[in-house]
Amino acid sequence: MHEDGNGDTHPAITEVTAGGADQEFLALERELTVLLRRARASQGEMAREVHPDLESSAYGLLVRLDEQGGRRATELAAYIGVGKATMSRQLRALEDLGLITREPDPADGRAWLVTLTDEGRRRVGRVREARRARYVRQLAHWDRHEVAELARLLNELNQVMEK
């Protein structure tokens, strides 16, 4: 234990629990579990706001297309973390709803490029704007630098998780 200057004591950085995990990593695991559970629920809500028949994972796919433009189906499957069959089923459903189009990739005629339709872009944009407004309200008491630091740290975490 160490004192922080305010008279409070905290576990030392190197303090390890009986199970062998650092207290900091146990706290991280706990907080990430809560965050991910809430994110899954929120993603499902946002997907249904785009269209009532969408699966929750489809929202992340649509956001990726909104941010990155046309992408190959295999790249999208890897990004979302699903197999080719699952991706094919999701893309077919999104195409049937008029939210995406699939066309041959000019660079490789065996591959397909997936892009948002104007309707898909409009719907995703509306949901994303509402989500950002909610974050602004929820984090109104945070300093802008703290928000930026959180975004930076989450980006670093996402980069590490992709490897």
Side-chain angles (χ1 to χ4, degrees):
M1 299 294 254
H2 73 277
E3 193 169 313
D4 66 5
N6 295 326
D8 297 328
T9 57
H10 302 279
I13 295 295
T14 57
E15 186 173 321
V16 177
T17 66
D22 294 347
Q23 288 294 322
E24 292 79 8
F25 284 96
L26 288 173
L28 175 64
E29 187 272 337
R30 180 183 60 246
E31 296 305 322
L32 280 176
T33 298
V34 171
L35 177 67
L36 292 173
R37 186 182 71 243
R38 288 181 176 156
R40 276 191 298 275
S42 177
Q43 187 170 0
E45 291 170 15
M46 290 181 284
R48 287 184 295 280
E49 286 178 32
V50 171
H51 192 281
D53 296 335
L54 286 186
E55 295 179 28
S56 62
S57 61
Y59 181 76
L61 177 73
L62 294 171
V63 167
R64 181 71 167 193
L65 290 171
D66 189 40
E67 291 178 346
Q68 303 284 316
R71 292 286 174 246
R72 288 184 177 176
T74 52
E75 179 188 333
L76 294 170
Y79 174 74
I80 300 294
V82 299
K84 289 192 308 185
T86 299
M87 180 55 55
S88 181
R89 181 179 46 77
Q90 284 189 352
L91 292 176
R92 192 170 32 259
L94 291 169
E95 194 170 30
D96 290 346
L97 294 171
L99 301 175
I100 65 157
T101 60
R102 291 188 281 182
E103 45 197 51
D105 184 345
D108 180 356
R110 300 168 297 165
W112 291 88
L113 276 183
V114 180
T115 57
L116 281 177
T117 62
D118 289 341
E119 177 66 10
R121 191 170 288 102
R122 185 184 66 74
R123 287 182 182 217
V124 169
R126 187 184 72 235
V127 173
R128 292 186 84 189
E129 286 175 23
R131 183 180 60 174
R132 281 190 298 270
R134 183 173 33 176
Y135 292 155
V136 167
R137 283 191 311 276
Q138 290 171 331
L139 301 177
H141 64 284
W142 284 35
D143 180 272
R144 288 287 176 129
H145 296 293
E146 292 173 322
V147 174
E149 180 64 5
L150 177 61
R152 186 190 69 75
L153 290 170
L154 289 172
N155 179 266
E156 275 188 41
L157 180 63
N158 284 327
Q159 296 297 320
V160 168
M161 299 290 203
E162 284 184 21
K163 294 179 183 176

